[in-house]
């Protein structure tokens, strides 16, 4: 029932965005994690993942008027664009077989499950307590040391390590919990 | 075993993982299973997007929605339907032939080749300009992105004269106003001389000895019919027809009015000549990286004006950004197909390799 309702809601959102592209924001919010997770699992670093994610949403916004509703989730259309963007990147790297090969190898190892895991993880990070989330973001997206984070947040290094440890424990427990 | 010890060991394992620049793929194998499990999560977390990326991209998309409607903007994005790209051809490669998956389109090949040549030339130029051999300026950048819209600025005043305000350059901007600008100075022998100022960022300097309203056509000296000092028909110690101590239509401080915001039928100007600002020697020595955010009004002639820094990076990068952005040229924004002045926010990123 809820799935049917959400598909109907999504269709309304798509129609709204087709009539007024400024309404694209909600579709963006609903699908960002999935698109980013899909791409992040197929490229080597965050910068590439962000560039390709931006490219996907720009393309989607530009072509939203041509989108035809066929009863399947909007994410499917976005992921096709994403797959094409990633394929384009591989094609550009094809002159360097070593680099291109790394990405292809990554795709072979059950990447769909890994994408799903990445999406869930992104969502779970947003649910962490504020101080734990702050430490996780500083540590892994800003790539700062616990000492640097401690100095920035005015806490002891030990406290930051504890927060990091508890955050990872919480994430692991939530990941194992059946949805 | 207490948590402190485990958290220390976990942190050390994460450090090794981060420093080795590898995702936890088995290369880093801690002895304890508990740490290994957490390290696997940590490996996945390394792929998280930056905190601000999600919001920045959303702002970019929203700023571009006017383009999506008119199909006139975002010209850097190919016009092909995404489905067509998937079913027909993937992406052409520079080498004309990929490993069996890359059909060739000559026009794209030529464009790609030209862009690569330009890129190599730019990198070469950057290497020549980099004075310190140890640090190479990649300056990736100068990414020019419209991320938000400026909504304030402007002001007005007047001297209760019968005539409209006369023409003349505006006084300089300062963070505070000790005395408002006047055209006719009635106090010829002040005990303490203070320069008149408008309130705004000091970088927006238009200093001159003869004050007036830059937008006026009247040459006979007049402070304008407004009140509370200043010049014009407003009432706030500034220059223009509204209130507050800034200049131009609108309220609050800084420059105002006479410019449109993107959206609602107004397209965003597109940069057609945008050289990268130089790294300052000071910033290079300090190995400083940062972002300068500045506002500009792009006139119908495609030239940026009324520049002011809203996000400062310091170390000379602000000045370099202002100096360079002043030389940029744009395809002006339009409203109903006609060029109009448009306010825009520009971010310049400075990175060192």
């Amino acid at each position: 029932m809820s799935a049917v309702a959400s598909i109907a809601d999504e269709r309304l959102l798509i129609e709204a965005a087709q009539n007024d592209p400024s309404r694209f924001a909600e579709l963006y919010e609903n699908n960002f994690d999935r698109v980013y997770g899909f791409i992040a699992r197929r490229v080597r670093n965050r910068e590439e993942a962000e560039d390709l994610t931006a490219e996907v949403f720009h393309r989607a916004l530009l072509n939203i008027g041509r989108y035809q509703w066929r009863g399947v989730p909007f994410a499917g259309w976005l992921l096709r664009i994403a797959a094409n963007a990633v394929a384009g990147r591989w094609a550009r790297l094809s002159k360097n077989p070593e680099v291109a090969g790394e990405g292809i190898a990554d795709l072979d190892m059950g990447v769909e499950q890994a994408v799903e895991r990445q999406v869930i993880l992104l969502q779970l990070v947003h649910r962490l307590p504020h101080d734990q989330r702050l430490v996780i973001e500083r540590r892994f997206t800003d790539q700062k040391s616990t000492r640097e984070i401690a100095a920035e947040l005015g806490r002891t290094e030990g406290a930051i390590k504890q927060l990091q440890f508890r955050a990872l424990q919480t994430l692991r427990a939530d990941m194992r919990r059946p949805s | 075993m207490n948590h402190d010890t485990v958290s220390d060991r976990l942190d050390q394992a994460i450090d090794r993982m981060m420093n080795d620049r590898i995702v936890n793929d088995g290369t880093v194998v801690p002895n304890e299973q508990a740490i290994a499990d957490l390290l696997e999560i940590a490996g996945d977390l390394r792929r998280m997007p930056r905190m601000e990326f999600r919001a920045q991209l959303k702002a970019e998309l929203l700023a571009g929605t006017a383009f999506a409607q008119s199909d006139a903007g975002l010209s850097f994005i190919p016009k092909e339907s995404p489905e067509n790209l998937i079913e027909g051809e993937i992406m052409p490669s520079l080498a004309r032939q990929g490993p069996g998956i890359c059909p060739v389109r000559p026009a794209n090949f030529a464009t790609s080749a030209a862009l690569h040549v330009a890129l190599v030339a730019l990198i070469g130029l950057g290497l020549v300009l980099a004075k310190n051999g140890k640090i190479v300026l990649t300056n990736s950048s100068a990414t020019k992105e419209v991320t938000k819209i400026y909504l304030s600025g402007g002001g007005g005043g007047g001297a209760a004269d019968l005539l409209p305000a006369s023409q003349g350059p505006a006084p300089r901007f300062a963070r505070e106003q000790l005395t408002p600008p006047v055209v006719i100075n009635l106090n010829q022998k002040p005990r303490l001389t203070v320069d008149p100022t408008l309130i705004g960022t000091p970088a927006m300097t238009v200093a001159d000895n003869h004050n007036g309203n830059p937008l006026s056509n009247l040459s006979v000296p007049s402070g304008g019919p407004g009140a509370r000092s200043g010049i014009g028909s407003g009432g706030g110690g500034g220059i223009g027809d509204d209130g507050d101590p800034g200049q131009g239509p609108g309220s609050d401080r800084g420059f105002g009015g006479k410019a449109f915001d993107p959206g609602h039928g107004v397209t965003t100007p597109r940069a057609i000549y945008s050289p990268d600002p130089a790294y300052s020697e000071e910033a290079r020595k300090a190995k400083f990286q940062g972002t300068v955010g500045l506002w500009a009004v792009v006139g119908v002639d495609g030239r940026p004006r009324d520049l002011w820094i809203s996000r400062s990076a310091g170390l000379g990068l602000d000045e370099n950004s202002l100096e360079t952005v002043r030389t940029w040229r744009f395809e002006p924004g339009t409203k109903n197909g006609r060029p109009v002045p448009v306010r825009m926010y520009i971010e310049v990123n400075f990175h060192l390799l």
Side-chain angles (χ1 to χ4, degrees):
Chain A
M1 180 65 187
S2 63
V4 173
S6 74
I7 287 176
D9 288 347
E10 189 170 70
R11 184 175 187 178
L12 290 175
L13 285 175
I14 293 166
E15 287 173 357
Q18 286 177 324
N19 293 324
D20 175 8
S22 65
R23 302 289 301 276
F24 187 75
E26 200 161 344
L27 287 170
Y28 168 80
E29 287 292 350
N30 292 347
N31 292 283
F32 176 87
D33 288 340
R34 181 159 298 276
V35 170
Y36 182 85
F38 178 89
I39 292 172
R41 276 287 162 184
R42 287 166 165 81
V43 296
R44 288 181 308 158
N45 60 48
R46 178 183 301 114
E47 287 73 23
E48 284 177 314
E50 289 182 352
D51 287 349
L52 288 172
T53 303
E55 184 182 332
V56 168
F57 280 106
H58 277 299
R59 280 183 187 279
L61 177 60
L62 194 66
N63 291 283
I64 185 76
R66 299 177 188 174
Y67 179 82
Q68 291 182 341
W69 174 258
R70 290 171 186 160
V72 296
F74 185 65
W77 186 66
L78 290 174
L79 294 185
R80 288 181 69 197
I81 302 174
N84 184 57
V86 173
R89 174 186 164 274
W90 286 352
R92 287 192 290 277
L93 292 175
S94 62
K95 286 194 76 176
N96 184 348
E98 190 181 336
V99 177
E102 287 176 19
I104 292 165
D106 190 29
L107 185 63
D108 289 339
M109 41 187 273
V111 77
E112 292 310 322
Q113 278 186 335
V115 169
E116 196 59 34
R117 175 186 163 89
Q118 186 79 30
V119 171
I120 293 170
L121 188 60
L122 284 178
Q123 291 166 349
L124 290 176
V125 168
H126 290 299
R127 293 185 207 161
L128 285 174
H130 177 70
D131 51 356
Q132 291 182 20
R133 181 158 59 93
L134 204 58
V135 169
I136 291 295
E137 286 171 342
R138 293 284 191 279
R139 186 78 165 111
F140 294 102
T141 61
D142 297 345
Q143 305 206 349
K144 290 184 174 176
S145 67
T146 44
R147 179 172 298 177
E148 289 171 323
I149 301 170
E152 182 186 337
L153 301 182
R155 309 279 292 265
T156 65
E157 202 176 338
I160 298 299
K161 288 178 183 174
Q162 274 292 329
L163 284 169
Q164 173 180 261
F165 178 64
R166 284 206 300 273
L168 290 174
Q169 275 191 317
T170 305
L171 290 172
R172 182 183 58 179
D174 289 346
M175 293 285 285
R176 287 178 175 175
R177 191 168 296 148
S179 57
Chain B
M1 181 186 306
N2 57 42
H3 277 180
D4 276 338
T5 312
V6 177
S7 64
D8 283 340
R9 288 202 299 277
L10 172 66
D11 189 56
Q12 288 160 10
I14 291 173
D15 266 341
R16 284 197 298 275
M17 182 181 75
M18 306 276 267
N19 292 334
D20 290 348
R21 298 233 163 233
I22 53 170
V23 176
N24 184 29
D25 55 2
T27 314
V28 175
V29 183
N31 294 327
E32 297 176 50
Q33 186 58 41
I35 290 184
D37 288 349
L38 297 181
L39 204 56
E40 190 182 350
I41 302 271
D44 287 337
L45 288 172
R46 291 187 62 196
R47 300 173 196 265
M48 277 201 317
R50 285 174 296 121
M51 283 178 289
E52 64 276 16
F53 170 69
R54 186 178 186 139
Q56 276 178 352
L57 178 57
K58 185 177 178 181
E60 258 182 53
L61 290 167
L62 288 177
T65 51
F67 290 92
Q69 278 176 313
S70 65
D71 207 27
L74 295 178
S75 58
F76 56 90
I77 296 177
K79 293 287 192 292
E80 296 96 329
S81 150
E83 289 94 340
N84 290 344
L85 282 171
I86 292 161
E87 289 161 10
E89 45 200 322
I90 299 182
M91 293 285 277
S93 71
L94 183 61
R96 294 184 69 86
Q97 271 192 325
I101 58 170
C102 303
V104 177
R105 288 189 294 188
N108 284 10
F109 174 77
T111 306
S112 174
L115 286 173
H116 278 80
V117 169
L119 185 63
V120 169
L122 279 174
I123 292 173
L125 183 64
L127 288 171
V128 170
L129 292 176
K131 294 176 185 172
N132 187 335
K134 291 179 182 175
I135 303 169
V136 179
L137 166 65
T138 60
N139 182 17
S140 31
S141 53
T143 52
K144 285 80 61 183
E145 300 165 346
V146 180
T147 57
K148 52 186 175 180
I149 293 168
Y150 182 49
L151 294 172
S152 63
D161 289 336
L162 295 176
L163 293 171
S166 56
Q167 191 182 47
R172 68 185 173 88
F173 280 87
R175 303 230 177 257
E176 57 186 13
Q177 185 183 57
L178 296 177
T179 180
V182 292
V183 173
I184 302 169
N185 189 355
L186 299 177
N187 184 6
Q188 296 294 334
K189 294 181 180 176
R191 288 188 176 182
L192 180 64
T193 304
V194 179
D195 287 340
T197 55
L198 297 173
I199 294 188
T201 304
M204 305 186 296
T205 304
V206 195
D208 195 278
N209 292 329
H210 306 288
N211 295 332
N213 185 349
L215 302 176
S216 172
N217 294 321
L218 188 73
S219 55
V220 178
S222 167
R228 293 176 59 194
S229 297
I231 300 169
S233 58
I239 293 179
D241 301 331
D242 291 306
D244 294 329
Q247 179 196 336
S251 59
D252 209 349
R253 53 204 63 197
F255 286 102
K258 298 289 184 187
F260 292 86
D261 297 320
H264 303 289
V266 178
T267 64
T268 307
R270 190 168 64 88
I272 52 178
Y273 172 70
S274 53
D276 289 349
Y279 236 90
S280 66
E281 197 59 36
E282 195 180 358
R284 195 199 318 278
K285 281 179 182 169
K287 298 185 180 179
F288 178 81
Q289 301 185 96
T291 300
V292 174
L294 52 91
W295 287 101
V297 173
V298 175
V300 295
D301 57 357
R303 293 168 185 267
R305 58 178 166 83
D306 301 351
L307 274 69
W308 68 278
I309 300 286
S310 77
R311 180 177 175 186
S312 169
L315 298 179
L317 298 179
D318 297 350
E319 291 79 1
N320 285 3
S321 300
L322 278 174
E323 188 181 338
T324 306
V325 172
R326 278 197 185 98
T327 68
W328 287 7
R329 294 295 176 265
F330 293 81
E331 206 171 78
T334 60
K335 181 176 173 64
N336 299 326
R338 302 185 63 177
V340 291
V342 175
R343 253 186 295 267
M344 64 186 298
Y345 181 70
I346 298 169
E347 271 190 357
V348 184
N349 297 321
F350 290 87
H351 293 294
L352 288 167
L353 265 188

